[in-house]
Each structure stands twice: as structure tokens, then as C-alpha cells.
């Protein structure tokens, strides 16, 4: 049976107090599409105010430190995210893997730390353009996933995977539909290999230049269980049509 779709927004380093009105608009309009789970991952400094502004609507972080606490200047622990009102977090986004040199082992530790306190996780993987052009995308992404996955899926919090080809993020370019289908099938096989039947229940999101005009086609692909959306999640006007496409494909 198809999994309920999850459409999550990643606001990256966008969002001031004035933008809380947009969070409210998204949360309010998302209620029209109960067939889809909707969430927004906002800058950490906005989490508490966003969570207070839209009680019951899932607000998430964009990163988490793997340690419980300690001498880690500028970092945010899983318990801190939870304490601020977050219910999920992204880990391993390619912008962090690149700019902060995050390794697969660190991503695994972050996912494990978040899940252990009850925060759901969207774990990102994806290949560079070079790797895609050289024909190594499937092998690279499944190996990256294998090294980044937590050891177990026990507990209440949910793990989701976001397949985000690095070259598709913020560029307006996307893989072909068969390429997305092939990658999602390979990710599903990896999850099944690691977690057995539980691996069938892990949602696999596609991310990279999703917008209203391409969301319907992407959501129609087998094993695409939702989307992680960057630029088009910043306003209700852009984001809600993507949620609607998710509902239509459900
Ligand atoms: C992202 O940052 O996770 C993302 C998918 O960005 P965009 O939708 O802007 O390509």
C-alpha cells in the first residue's frame, strides 16, 4: 500500500519574525489536504515562535548536533530542538555536507541522536553532477545512504529519506522521471536490506527544484512518498499547490 505523502519545506537561512505570517498561512491552508502530511523546517532561531504560532502543525529544524550537550559553540542539540517545539529535523543536507564538511558517520550520529529523543528525521542523500554524468549515481547514493542510516528504527519517531541530487537543488534542473524512479527503487531496496519489512514503511522524498508545475508528475512515481522543498516552500502561494499535487496523487 502506498505510504501517506509527506511534503516538507526547508526554509534554509530565510525567515524573520515578519515571515511567521507565512508559516501561519501555510499551516492553515495545509488543513485542506488531510491526505498529505505537511511540515516546515525553519531556521533554529525561529522554531519556538513558529511552533507557538501554529500549535499542532509540525515545525522542524534543519540540523542537529549529535551530542546531548557540551562544548559545541553555536550548535543545537536534539533536546534543545524538542524543547523549542520542533518535532522533526533534517540531517545531512548537501549544503551542510559540503559547507560544514559533514561526513556520513556524523550524519548517522545526528540521525541517531534525534531519533533517540523522539524527533523525526529527514535524512538527505544525493549525488553530484559529475557522479551522475559518469553513471555512478545509484552506487554513490546507496553507499552514502548505507553509511548514514541509523542502526535501528526502534522508537516512535519516524525516519524519512530525502533523495536530493545536489545539481538539482535550487537550479531549476531535475532528473528525468525514469532516473528518479530508478533511484527511489534503489533506495527502497537498500532500506529493505537494512531494516526488512520496516524498510517498506520509511518514506522516500524527492528534493531538488520541486514546484507546482512538476510536483504532480514526480508524485506519480512509485516510491516517491513526498517531497523536500526549498525555494518553493517560502510562501503559501508557492508551497500549497505542491501540497495539493501530493493530495491529488494520493
Ligand atoms: C532543498 O534545499 O532541500 C531543496 C530541495 O531546495 P530547492 O527546492 O530550492 O531546490
Amino acid at each position: 500500500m502506498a505510504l501517506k505523502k509527506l511534503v516538507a519545506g526547508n526554509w534554509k537561512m530565510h525567515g524573520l519574525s515578519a515571515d511567521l505570517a507565512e508559516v501561519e498561512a501555510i499551516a492553515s491552508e495545509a488543513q485542506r489536504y488531510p491526505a498529505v502530511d505537511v511540515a516546515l523546517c525553519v531556521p533554529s532561531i525561529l522554531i519556538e515562535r513558529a511552533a507557538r504560532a501554529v500549535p499542532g502543525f509540525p515545525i522542524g529544524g534543519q540540523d542537529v548536533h549529535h551530542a546531548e550537550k557540551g562544548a559545541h559553540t553555536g550548535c543545537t542539540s536534539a533536546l534543545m530542538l524538542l524543547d523549542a517545539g520542533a518535532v522533526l529535523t533534517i540531517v545531512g543536507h548537501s549544503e551542510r555536507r559540503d559547507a560544514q564538511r559533514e561526513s556520513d558517520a556524523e550524519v548517522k550520529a545526528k540521525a541517531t541522536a534525534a531519533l533517540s529523543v523522539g524527533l523525526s528525521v529527514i535524512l538527505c542523500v544525493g549525488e553530484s553532477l559529475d557522479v551522475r554524468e559518469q553513471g555512478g549515481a545509484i552506487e554513490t547514493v546507496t553507499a552514502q545512504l548505507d553509511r548514514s542510516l541509523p542502526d535501528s528504527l526502534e522508537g516512535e519517531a519516524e525516519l524519512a529519506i530525502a533523495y536530493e541530487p545536489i545539481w538539482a537543488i535550487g537550479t531549476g534542473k531535475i532528473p528525468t522521471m525514469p532516473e528518479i524512479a530508478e533511484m527511489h527503487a534503489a533506495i527502497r531496496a537498500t532500506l529493505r536490506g537494512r531494516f526488512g519489512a520496516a524498510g517498506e514503511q520509511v518514506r522516500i522524498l524527492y528534493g531538488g527544484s520541486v514546484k507546482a508545475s512538476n510536483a504532480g508528475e514526480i508524485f506519480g512515481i512509485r516510491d516517491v512518498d513526498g517531497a523536500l522543498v526549498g525555494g518553493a516552500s517560502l510562501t503559501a502561494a508557492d508551497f500549497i499547490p505542491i501540497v495539493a499535487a501530493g493530495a491529488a496523487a494520493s
Side-chain angles (χ1 to χ4, degrees):
M1 208 180 80
L3 301 176
K4 186 176 183 184
K5 293 202 185 329
L6 166 63
V7 178
N10 173 15
W11 273 24
K12 310 193 189 195
M13 201 170 74
H14 299 281
L16 299 171
S17 306
D19 300 301
L20 289 169
E22 213 59 55
V23 174
E24 288 172 20
I26 288 169
S28 162
E29 293 182 38
Q31 288 176 7
R32 303 207 317 263
Y33 304 99
V36 180
D37 288 331
V38 183
L40 276 183
C41 296
V42 299
S44 57
I45 198 158
L46 212 57
I47 289 173
E48 182 159 8
R49 280 172 291 159
R52 283 188 200 279
V54 290
F57 178 86
I59 295 293
Q62 300 171 3
D63 178 47
V64 65
H65 197 277
H66 62 81
E68 203 180 306
K69 57 182 158 183
H72 304 288
T73 304
C75 299
T76 307
S77 74
L79 272 180
M80 289 171 182
L81 288 180
L82 207 58
D83 191 47
V87 295
L88 75 153
T89 186
I90 295 169
V91 299
H93 192 282
S94 61
E95 287 158 14
R96 295 197 59 84
R97 287 181 184 264
D98 179 34
Q100 270 72 36
R101 301 270 180 274
E102 284 184 9
S103 66
D104 294 331
E106 273 178 276
V107 173
K108 173 179 177 176
K110 285 168 183 249
T112 305
L115 291 168
S116 75
V117 302
L119 273 182
S120 292
V121 165
I122 298 176
L123 192 166
C124 303
V125 290
E127 82 284 359
S128 66
L129 188 56
D130 268 5
V131 167
R132 167 63 64 184
E133 285 175 349
Q134 285 162 23
I138 298 282
E139 199 183 319
T140 298
V141 170
T142 52
Q144 185 187 39
L145 177 64
D146 205 43
R147 291 189 298 260
S148 304
L149 282 171
D151 289 331
S152 97
L153 294 182
E154 278 161 28
E156 293 295 299
E158 183 198 337
L159 174 71
I161 307 302
Y163 165 54
E164 299 207 306
I166 298 167
W167 51 274
I169 295 176
T171 59
K173 296 180 194 154
I174 59 168
T176 64
M177 298 303 132
E179 284 169 343
I180 297 176
E182 185 188 26
M183 184 62 79
H184 279 237
I187 291 173
R188 178 65 69 211
T190 303
L191 292 168
R192 208 184 293 119
R194 281 289 291 270
F195 303 121
E200 302 281 359
Q201 302 305 314
V202 175
R203 292 190 275 200
I204 308 172
L205 318 182
Y206 169 77
S209 296
V210 175
K211 11 183 212 280
S213 56
N214 58 23
E217 199 178 4
I218 294 170
F219 288 146
I221 299 171
R222 186 187 165 90
D223 278 320
V224 173
D225 308 310
L228 182 57
V229 184
S233 70
L234 293 174
T235 63
D238 286 336
F239 193 47
I240 293 299
I242 298 172
V243 175
S250 297

